[in-house]
Amino acid sequence: MSRFTHVGIVARVIDIPSELAAAQERCNGEAGRAFVTGLPDLAAEFLQRWELRLDGRPMHGMTALVLPVLRADGTPAVLKLQLRDEESEGEPAALRRWDGDGAVRLLDHDRTTHAMLLERLDHTRMLSQLPGTREAVLVIARLLARLNATPAPQGMRRLGDMARAMLERTPWALERIPDTGTRRLVADCAAAVREVVDEPGDRLVHWDLHDGNVLASDRAPWLAIDPKPLAGDPGFELWPAIANRFEADEVRWRFDAMTDVLGLDRARARAWTLGRLLENTLWDVEDGRPAEPRRLEIARRLRDHSG
């Protein structure tokens, strides 16, 4: 069978989830539409190149198509296809650096298309399924302690650059926030970031580790997936676990528990966590959206927390 016949046959059996197509349209416009249109042929190309067989229905997140596959020797794996952007650019390098210690293992990678072959974890057992949030927060903290233990490889986007860019945009954003209390809170977050911006850290930071990005595995109880990595301070890691499955009265407990497990200086960690509110608010203002009340409440509780 010729390559082009093989590609055509395989492409016809891959369903592109409508939610993924909608997310790409919303977030990436024309580039997202082109990415989604090309996904069947892209998948078919790597099924052939890496000698893979489909082994289940497609899965997806906000940005990626994930295909369960079997390798030539029968080993289960997943083929991950996503549109390369600033956040995902460093994912292969981070996974290679971690080499399965606390995170999913990278098996193969194509630099041109950003296609990745990953070990298959158990997508039916997600950390978010635990009935209580406290154990989930502690699991995430213990994973972060392993992931943050290594310095970031060369070429990773850097928290210091991101923080300085945020501070440069802050005056513009403050002028566009109508509510006085929100404006004061965002200004306080920026002031906290200014205190630490000259010491941004060099650890390999996952950036998006919440309980929806932690799956069970046969080789480890829990492993992290889907990093949006950068080089920086581990204090910048805490926000997702604090914000996910939001409970206002748990904000300070989560912050204290995670800084204890990670051994972080709380003042620095608080400053970098408030930096995540600044980052999110800048995105909201740029998109013409009001800041989310949930995010503002987290920032208020941490700003006023002296523990």
Side-chain angles (χ1 to χ4, degrees), residues 82-133:
Q82 64 185 344
L83 186 64
R84 189 200 311 258
D85 60 20
E86 183 183 40
E87 292 183 358
S88 65
E89 176 72 29
E91 181 175 357
L95 294 178
R96 192 173 292 113
R97 175 62 61 92
W98 288 322
D99 193 25
D101 184 11
V104 65
R105 182 169 281 121
L106 179 69
L107 304 176
D108 211 336
H109 168 235
D110 179 69
R111 294 180 181 274
T112 301
T113 64
H114 208 52
M116 288 181 287
L117 187 66
L118 305 168
E119 73 171 310
R120 194 190 304 182
L121 308 183
D122 188 349
H123 72 277
T124 69
R125 292 189 291 152
M126 191 177 294
L127 187 60
S128 59
Q129 295 167 343
L130 289 185
T133 59

Side-chain angles (χ1 to χ4, degrees), residues 149-161:
T150 184
Q154 291 295 319
M156 198 68 64
R157 61 184 181 136
R158 308 195 71 81
L159 176 57
D161 297 335

